[in-house]
Amino acid sequence: MKKVKKFLIILSVMCMVVPLVSTDLALAKRSMTITWWTQDWWQGVTGQEMLGMSLDDPRRAEYTGHDWPNKIIKEFQQLHPELDLNIEVELLDWTTGYRKLDIAVAAGYPPDIMVSTTATALKFATYGMLEPFDPYLTEEDIEDYSLFLKLGEVDGKHYLLPWASGGRTMLANKKIFEETGTVNLLPGGANNPDRLWTYEDFAIAAQKNTFTRSNGEKVYGFGTYFAGELAPEHNELPFLWGYGARVFDDTGKKVILNSEAGVKGLQFLVDMEYKYKAMPPGSVGLRGQDIQDLWHAGGVSMIMGNTGSEFALAKGLDEGTIKPGVIEIYPLMFPSDLPEHKPAVFVATDAPMVFKQTDEEKRAIVVELVIYMTNTVNQRDHVTAWGSLPGRISTLEWAKEYVWQGNTYKEYFMRVLKYGIKDAVQEHMVSIRDLLTSMFQAAQTQQMSPKEALDDFAKRANEHLEKEAERIK
Amino acid sequence: MNTKWRDKFNIPSVIAYSCLVGWGIVSLLPLYWTWTTAFKYPSIVIEMPPELYPNPPVLVNFIGLFMKAKIFRWTLNSTIVAGSITASNLFLGTLAGYALAKKKFHGRMFIFWLIVSMMMVPYQITIVPLYIIINRLNWTSTYWALIVPGLSFPFSIFLMKQYLQTLPSELMDAARIDGCSEFGIFLRIIIPLAKSGMAVLSIFIFMGTWNDFLWPLIVTNKEIMFTLQVGLSTIQTVFYRDYGLLMAGAAYSTIPMFIVFFLAQKYFVKGITIGALKG
Amino acid sequence: MHISKKSIGIWKVIKQEKSGYLFVLVPLSLFVLFGIVPIIWSLVLSFMQYFPGRSYWVGLGNFKDMIEDDIFWKSVKNTFVYTLGTVPGGLCAALVLSNFISARQRKVQVFFKSAFYLPMVASGAILSLIWMWLFHPFFGLFNYMLSLVEAGPVFWLGDPRIALFSLMFMMLVTGQGASIILLCAAMGNIPQPLYEAARIDGSTKWSEFWHITLPLLKPTILYLLIMGTIGSFQIFTQVFIMTQGGPNYATSTLVYLIFTTAFNRFNFGKASSEALFLFALIMTLAYIQYKFLGGEVEY
């Protein structure tokens, strides 16, 4: 009996207290749901977890692209105990993910945060769909982000926070140059640390490294591609930039690529295939993957590479998908019309962006989360996991000291960041990309002369840009 | 003896067989390539010229595939979605197809052309409003979003209408005179006669839904609700295309369709002898 | 209907009509929400400049834009060439192959039907990837076979004069499985006594095919023609994966153009007007086909 009484008392007390406490909590804690979409970057928190595991090791299944976001979320929730934060992460793959994002944005249901490329940020910023970060950045932040912050600038406002950054240059396969005994043709050495060279030098090196192996395998001196989801600013435009040509004028709203310099550059690409025969015939039908496969098989001496190529190669060797002993990468510059014109390359940053918010309080939290994930310490993770350059100078200093000591590959990419130009990441680049692609295809198949192709492109692009300015208002 | 030999190996017959075999080889080639590549070691996969068959066959791609713990859940989701859509389309498609083929009512031609015209608008343009509707209904990441828009495809009604049109009307008229209800006629006379058409329809719908990618991709935000095709697209790495894993996934995802095909095909090889009535 | 309305009485007609409406009720209501509403939405959009939250009317501006765009007309032309090449050609091939198949024994029939149909179970994306390998300029099987006879290489997808025909060839060869299955099913439904009667009259195989099989297959053929036209006018996946409309718009088709207008350029208004044009085009063709072949077939 006594026990029952005691039990009843406790029960009644609990009945009174529990609702009190819980309503109290509910009053104090504002609940907030944030959607965070991201491209699929790396698996595990550090990305190192699976090193040395064979491809059929079941432990691999434990690591996903959610691990790093989950770590950030956990830490961020601890920073905000007063909030009931529910952060939903979704991974988008690198091809179909863009479709999903496009449809969600077009339907008016975008995620709060998207972590994607500079081009993606510029595209949506142009249509006025993103929040500018300017009101939330301190002087210190601006200074620390300064290497790449400008890439996300539209009409004086900044729409991305630099994160996994890097540039694109050319890569040579030193193994093939050794095979042909022409390593001396590669630019470099103490008095040419940027590895600059002229169009003539490049053409000679490419020709010398175009040959047929004794087993009948054909090797090409240089390979690039003109089909598939092409971003000509990565691969083809550097050949035009090297003569001093630019796609856009200083305002970024008018196309001026059909200059004499543009014609020279385009002619050079055509000549590489038809005159010097140092490029695979029928290059126009090739996609990035074809050239990659050819490169991995040792069938092409020079291709385009990026900051992460060394890392990707190491990963492929580790997992056994790339055969050892075929490739030794040597990064080098696109050719240019030295000494008049320095080369120019594509430099960009993959970064978080925030879609327009209606709730003031939520906007502040979302931006805070984005600044948090790109802070000095958290930027270190993608440096080690992904092989990219950090978007903050403070993290760059750390990386130089602790991660890349003696890594000549990374050192080289830091050297050449200075050749990056805004022309590659202008706000209207995405919307004229298909016109640009067709221009390269028309010239490369010799349907049109370089001059005709460029004039036709400039005419179409400028008509489009005029209409676009009218449309966006 | 001599005539029998000639019956079997006459010249038209040889031509027919060589056409069938040649065309068959070309059309089976992609499937063969999918399955053999799935059993090759990943590094060999990108080697050129390619090996014509895996030597020796390895399971590493399939192990890589099944390690992704959710693949069974994705398969289950796909089965639920494709199964219910197929069942519903079989019923509604045959019912409406029968009405449009064999019943006379006002507005019949209007409805028929409405249905046909709905197939002519490319989904690339209707997908955004459809997505808005699903969001308004709060159906994102639910089976509702995956299933309900597909419950009745215009395509199934069109197919069944064209198929049922070839059946003689006398059968239904006779049943009607015997006092059978309209729904009873549908159940007892039309469905048995429509079996071979329905078998064909079930394969088309099951295959189409099973392989559908864009719609499930955009309406599912939780891994647990992914269909198989969406799930498979998420296990590719970004550094290079892992052909082995890709092909293992593709090969795995064709298995249920083999099953459906072989279950359904016995209905349509028989054909139905319905000549008796007409005589 | 063979029994005339008069002999049944008016109430029976009403009753019959009621069941007709009832039978199409559920699909129709589903269509309204998930088909017609989105279609009307895009119809409205073709007169607007659309941005989520801040759209405005532009009247016929999008249509004007569309007509002035020479890439649009190039895509229309490509779509026509593609359809004219694949639909009638594919249908003839499917008819011939089905006729070959249906004359065989049951087991042989099953084998060949499976052989033609099974390849279609793989998704369009995977099939496209594999065909890209077949078409590959230096490692592809086709160029390898050409090299054996000292010919080539042919740039199947890289040569603007050839690329569209390569896509057509692919569809022609691999796209007939569904048609063959349907034609075989329909051929199985043709009453055997019709052939027996014809044989007694001393008919040849050819005249049986021409005078019995073909007329009785009309509803199926009509179905295949209309579906084939709709399908090939809407070709997208193969273009998207294999050529991205290139080289230099040589394989740009209408739906691919609609897609790039909508998503790459985020211009849903213009994309909707292009879709409306496509709709009108297919509708006209389907209507002509229906008028030409659509007489009710009964026997």
Side-chain angles (χ1 to χ4, degrees), chain A residues 130-148:
Chain A
L130 298 184
E131 290 284 352
F133 288 112
D134 303 77
Y136 298 92
L137 295 180
T138 63
E139 289 280 309
E140 275 176 351
D141 279 334
I142 293 173
E143 178 58 35
D144 207 16
Y145 285 128
S146 62
L147 272 182
F148 303 100

PDB file of all heavy atoms in Angstrom, chain A residues 130-148:
ATOM      1  N   LEU A 130      20.504  35.012 -54.652  1.00  0.00           N
ATOM      2  CA  LEU A 130      21.389  34.719 -53.513  1.00  0.00           C
ATOM      3  C   LEU A 130      21.471  35.902 -52.557  1.00  0.00           C
ATOM      4  O   LEU A 130      21.209  37.047 -52.922  1.00  0.00           O
ATOM      5  CB  LEU A 130      22.798  34.382 -54.014  1.00  0.00           C
ATOM      6  CG  LEU A 130      22.975  33.168 -54.908  1.00  0.00           C
ATOM      7  CD1 LEU A 130      24.452  32.970 -55.210  1.00  0.00           C
ATOM      8  CD2 LEU A 130      22.410  31.912 -54.254  1.00  0.00           C
ATOM      9  N   GLU A 131      21.857  35.597 -51.304  1.00  0.00           N
ATOM     10  CA  GLU A 131      22.112  36.631 -50.306  1.00  0.00           C
ATOM     11  C   GLU A 131      23.560  37.087 -50.436  1.00  0.00           C
ATOM     12  O   GLU A 131      24.466  36.258 -50.452  1.00  0.00           O
ATOM     13  CB  GLU A 131      21.925  36.044 -48.898  1.00  0.00           C
ATOM     14  CG  GLU A 131      20.503  35.705 -48.522  1.00  0.00           C
ATOM     15  CD  GLU A 131      19.680  36.940 -48.185  1.00  0.00           C
ATOM     16  OE1 GLU A 131      20.266  38.040 -48.092  1.00  0.00           O
ATOM     17  OE2 GLU A 131      18.455  36.794 -48.027  1.00  0.00           O
ATOM     18  N   PRO A 132      23.798  38.403 -50.484  1.00  0.00           N
ATOM     19  CA  PRO A 132      25.193  38.855 -50.444  1.00  0.00           C
ATOM     20  C   PRO A 132      25.753  38.697 -49.028  1.00  0.00           C
ATOM     21  O   PRO A 132      25.004  38.813 -48.049  1.00  0.00           O
ATOM     22  CB  PRO A 132      25.090  40.333 -50.831  1.00  0.00           C
ATOM     23  CG  PRO A 132      23.689  40.731 -50.535  1.00  0.00           C
ATOM     24  CD  PRO A 132      22.839  39.501 -50.612  1.00  0.00           C
ATOM     25  N   PHE A 133      27.046  38.415 -48.930  1.00  0.00           N
ATOM     26  CA  PHE A 133      27.635  38.185 -47.613  1.00  0.00           C
ATOM     27  C   PHE A 133      28.154  39.471 -46.978  1.00  0.00           C
ATOM     28  O   PHE A 133      28.500  39.492 -45.801  1.00  0.00           O
ATOM     29  CB  PHE A 133      28.778  37.171 -47.718  1.00  0.00           C
ATOM     30  CG  PHE A 133      28.300  35.770 -47.963  1.00  0.00           C
ATOM     31  CD1 PHE A 133      28.554  35.130 -49.161  1.00  0.00           C
ATOM     32  CD2 PHE A 133      27.571  35.092 -46.990  1.00  0.00           C
ATOM     33  CE1 PHE A 133      28.093  33.846 -49.388  1.00  0.00           C
ATOM     34  CE2 PHE A 133      27.127  33.808 -47.207  1.00  0.00           C
ATOM     35  CZ  PHE A 133      27.377  33.183 -48.410  1.00  0.00           C
ATOM     36  N   ASP A 134      28.241  40.541 -47.780  1.00  0.00           N
ATOM     37  CA  ASP A 134      28.920  41.753 -47.316  1.00  0.00           C
ATOM     38  C   ASP A 134      28.508  42.247 -45.923  1.00  0.00           C
ATOM     39  O   ASP A 134      29.375  42.595 -45.123  1.00  0.00           O
ATOM     40  CB  ASP A 134      28.760  42.857 -48.362  1.00  0.00           C
ATOM     41  CG  ASP A 134      29.303  42.418 -49.697  1.00  0.00           C
ATOM     42  OD1 ASP A 134      28.601  41.638 -50.377  1.00  0.00           O
ATOM     43  OD2 ASP A 134      30.429  42.793 -50.046  1.00  0.00           O
ATOM     44  N   PRO A 135      27.202  42.290 -45.584  1.00  0.00           N
ATOM     45  CA  PRO A 135      26.852  42.844 -44.263  1.00  0.00           C
ATOM     46  C   PRO A 135      27.390  42.018 -43.094  1.00  0.00           C
ATOM     47  O   PRO A 135      27.437  42.507 -41.977  1.00  0.00           O
ATOM     48  CB  PRO A 135      25.312  42.803 -44.251  1.00  0.00           C
ATOM     49  CG  PRO A 135      24.894  42.581 -45.646  1.00  0.00           C
ATOM     50  CD  PRO A 135      26.004  41.895 -46.339  1.00  0.00           C
ATOM     51  N   TYR A 136      27.776  40.773 -43.364  1.00  0.00           N
ATOM     52  CA  TYR A 136      28.148  39.895 -42.264  1.00  0.00           C
ATOM     53  C   TYR A 136      29.654  39.715 -42.113  1.00  0.00           C
ATOM     54  O   TYR A 136      30.120  39.055 -41.203  1.00  0.00           O
ATOM     55  CB  TYR A 136      27.504  38.519 -42.450  1.00  0.00           C
ATOM     56  CG  TYR A 136      25.991  38.569 -42.455  1.00  0.00           C
ATOM     57  CD1 TYR A 136      25.291  38.712 -43.644  1.00  0.00           C
ATOM     58  CD2 TYR A 136      25.282  38.507 -41.263  1.00  0.00           C
ATOM     59  CE1 TYR A 136      23.913  38.783 -43.654  1.00  0.00           C
ATOM     60  CE2 TYR A 136      23.901  38.572 -41.268  1.00  0.00           C
ATOM     61  CZ  TYR A 136      23.216  38.712 -42.461  1.00  0.00           C
ATOM     62  OH  TYR A 136      21.858  38.774 -42.468  1.00  0.00           O
ATOM     63  N   LEU A 137      30.422  40.248 -43.049  1.00  0.00           N
ATOM     64  CA  LEU A 137      31.868  39.994 -43.021  1.00  0.00           C
ATOM     65  C   LEU A 137      32.599  41.098 -42.273  1.00  0.00           C
ATOM     66  O   LEU A 137      32.347  42.284 -42.489  1.00  0.00           O
ATOM     67  CB  LEU A 137      32.414  39.883 -44.447  1.00  0.00           C
ATOM     68  CG  LEU A 137      31.909  38.697 -45.274  1.00  0.00           C
ATOM     69  CD1 LEU A 137      32.534  38.730 -46.657  1.00  0.00           C
ATOM     70  CD2 LEU A 137      32.209  37.377 -44.588  1.00  0.00           C
ATOM     71  N   THR A 138      33.517  40.689 -41.395  1.00  0.00           N
ATOM     72  CA  THR A 138      34.357  41.666 -40.704  1.00  0.00           C
ATOM     73  C   THR A 138      35.508  42.049 -41.620  1.00  0.00           C
ATOM     74  O   THR A 138      35.800  41.364 -42.607  1.00  0.00           O
ATOM     75  CB  THR A 138      34.928  41.075 -39.412  1.00  0.00           C
ATOM     76  OG1 THR A 138      35.762  39.975 -39.776  1.00  0.00           O
ATOM     77  CG2 THR A 138      33.827  40.602 -38.478  1.00  0.00           C
ATOM     78  N   GLU A 139      36.176  43.141 -41.285  1.00  0.00           N
ATOM     79  CA  GLU A 139      37.366  43.565 -42.024  1.00  0.00           C
ATOM     80  C   GLU A 139      38.372  42.417 -42.112  1.00  0.00           C
ATOM     81  O   GLU A 139      38.952  42.154 -43.157  1.00  0.00           O
ATOM     82  CB  GLU A 139      38.023  44.743 -41.291  1.00  0.00           C
ATOM     83  CG  GLU A 139      37.232  46.036 -41.372  1.00  0.00           C
ATOM     84  CD  GLU A 139      37.458  46.741 -42.696  1.00  0.00           C
ATOM     85  OE1 GLU A 139      38.632  46.936 -43.057  1.00  0.00           O
ATOM     86  OE2 GLU A 139      36.461  47.065 -43.375  1.00  0.00           O
ATOM     87  N   GLU A 140      38.538  41.744 -40.963  1.00  0.00           N
ATOM     88  CA  GLU A 140      39.503  40.633 -40.883  1.00  0.00           C
ATOM     89  C   GLU A 140      39.131  39.528 -41.864  1.00  0.00           C
ATOM     90  O   GLU A 140      39.978  38.998 -42.572  1.00  0.00           O
ATOM     91  CB  GLU A 140      39.500  40.050 -39.477  1.00  0.00           C
ATOM     92  CG  GLU A 140      40.405  40.775 -38.526  1.00  0.00           C
ATOM     93  CD  GLU A 140      40.268  40.203 -37.119  1.00  0.00           C
ATOM     94  OE1 GLU A 140      39.344  39.380 -36.888  1.00  0.00           O
ATOM     95  OE2 GLU A 140      41.075  40.589 -36.273  1.00  0.00           O
ATOM     96  N   ASP A 141      37.831  39.169 -41.872  1.00  0.00           N
ATOM     97  CA  ASP A 141      37.350  38.125 -42.782  1.00  0.00           C
ATOM     98  C   ASP A 141      37.691  38.499 -44.220  1.00  0.00           C
ATOM     99  O   ASP A 141      38.226  37.691 -44.982  1.00  0.00           O
ATOM    100  CB  ASP A 141      35.827  37.975 -42.668  1.00  0.00           C
ATOM    101  CG  ASP A 141      35.420  37.134 -41.466  1.00  0.00           C
ATOM    102  OD1 ASP A 141      36.241  36.296 -41.049  1.00  0.00           O
ATOM    103  OD2 ASP A 141      34.309  37.337 -40.963  1.00  0.00           O
ATOM    104  N   ILE A 142      37.359  39.739 -44.572  1.00  0.00           N
ATOM    105  CA  ILE A 142      37.555  40.182 -45.954  1.00  0.00           C
ATOM    106  C   ILE A 142      39.020  40.073 -46.332  1.00  0.00           C
ATOM    107  O   ILE A 142      39.367  39.587 -47.416  1.00  0.00           O
ATOM    108  CB  ILE A 142      37.027  41.622 -46.127  1.00  0.00           C
ATOM    109  CG1 ILE A 142      35.500  41.616 -45.966  1.00  0.00           C
ATOM    110  CG2 ILE A 142      37.427  42.193 -47.478  1.00  0.00           C
ATOM    111  CD1 ILE A 142      34.864  42.977 -45.943  1.00  0.00           C
ATOM    112  N   GLU A 143      39.876  40.458 -45.431  1.00  0.00           N
ATOM    113  CA  GLU A 143      41.315  40.367 -45.664  1.00  0.00           C
ATOM    114  C   GLU A 143      41.727  38.895 -45.833  1.00  0.00           C
ATOM    115  O   GLU A 143      42.458  38.535 -46.749  1.00  0.00           O
ATOM    116  CB  GLU A 143      42.045  41.003 -44.475  1.00  0.00           C
ATOM    117  CG  GLU A 143      43.566  40.947 -44.542  1.00  0.00           C
ATOM    118  CD  GLU A 143      44.107  41.618 -45.793  1.00  0.00           C
ATOM    119  OE1 GLU A 143      43.515  42.624 -46.217  1.00  0.00           O
ATOM    120  OE2 GLU A 143      45.107  41.116 -46.352  1.00  0.00           O
ATOM    121  N   ASP A 144      41.184  38.050 -44.950  1.00  0.00           N
ATOM    122  CA  ASP A 144      41.586  36.646 -44.932  1.00  0.00           C
ATOM    123  C   ASP A 144      41.076  35.893 -46.176  1.00  0.00           C
ATOM    124  O   ASP A 144      41.734  35.002 -46.697  1.00  0.00           O
ATOM    125  CB  ASP A 144      41.046  35.994 -43.657  1.00  0.00           C
ATOM    126  CG  ASP A 144      41.898  34.810 -43.215  1.00  0.00           C
ATOM    127  OD1 ASP A 144      43.042  34.690 -43.715  1.00  0.00           O
ATOM    128  OD2 ASP A 144      41.433  34.012 -42.393  1.00  0.00           O
ATOM    129  N   TYR A 145      39.891  36.264 -46.667  1.00  0.00           N
ATOM    130  CA  TYR A 145      39.316  35.635 -47.865  1.00  0.00           C
ATOM    131  C   TYR A 145      39.836  36.256 -49.149  1.00  0.00           C
ATOM    132  O   TYR A 145      39.439  35.842 -50.244  1.00  0.00           O
ATOM    133  CB  TYR A 145      37.796  35.817 -47.893  1.00  0.00           C
ATOM    134  CG  TYR A 145      36.969  34.958 -46.954  1.00  0.00           C
ATOM    135  CD1 TYR A 145      36.030  35.533 -46.102  1.00  0.00           C
ATOM    136  CD2 TYR A 145      37.074  33.571 -46.967  1.00  0.00           C
ATOM    137  CE1 TYR A 145      35.231  34.758 -45.267  1.00  0.00           C
ATOM    138  CE2 TYR A 145      36.281  32.790 -46.130  1.00  0.00           C
ATOM    139  CZ  TYR A 145      35.364  33.387 -45.286  1.00  0.00           C
ATOM    140  OH  TYR A 145      34.566  32.626 -44.479  1.00  0.00           O
ATOM    141  N   SER A 146      40.691  37.271 -49.039  1.00  0.00           N
ATOM    142  CA  SER A 146      40.913  38.175 -50.175  1.00  0.00           C
ATOM    143  C   SER A 146      41.450  37.501 -51.442  1.00  0.00           C
ATOM    144  O   SER A 146      41.239  38.005 -52.535  1.00  0.00           O
ATOM    145  CB  SER A 146      41.841  39.310 -49.760  1.00  0.00           C
ATOM    146  OG  SER A 146      43.094  38.754 -49.382  1.00  0.00           O
ATOM    147  N   LEU A 147      42.124  36.354 -51.307  1.00  0.00           N
ATOM    148  CA  LEU A 147      42.678  35.720 -52.510  1.00  0.00           C
ATOM    149  C   LEU A 147      41.593  35.387 -53.533  1.00  0.00           C
ATOM    150  O   LEU A 147      41.806  35.485 -54.740  1.00  0.00           O
ATOM    151  CB  LEU A 147      43.417  34.431 -52.137  1.00  0.00           C
ATOM    152  CG  LEU A 147      44.889  34.545 -51.755  1.00  0.00           C
ATOM    153  CD1 LEU A 147      45.453  33.163 -51.472  1.00  0.00           C
ATOM    154  CD2 LEU A 147      45.694  35.215 -52.868  1.00  0.00           C
ATOM    155  N   PHE A 148      40.431  34.948 -53.053  1.00  0.00           N
ATOM    156  CA  PHE A 148      39.409  34.436 -53.982  1.00  0.00           C
ATOM    157  C   PHE A 148      38.059  35.134 -53.871  1.00  0.00           C
ATOM    158  O   PHE A 148      37.159  34.843 -54.639  1.00  0.00           O
ATOM    159  CB  PHE A 148      39.189  32.933 -53.745  1.00  0.00           C
ATOM    160  CG  PHE A 148      40.436  32.107 -53.884  1.00  0.00           C
ATOM    161  CD1 PHE A 148      41.132  31.695 -52.766  1.00  0.00           C
ATOM    162  CD2 PHE A 148      40.923  31.774 -55.130  1.00  0.00           C
ATOM    163  CE1 PHE A 148      42.288  30.932 -52.889  1.00  0.00           C
ATOM    164  CE2 PHE A 148      42.078  31.021 -55.267  1.00  0.00           C
ATOM    165  CZ  PHE A 148      42.770  30.604 -54.143  1.00  0.00           C
TER     166      PHE A 148
END
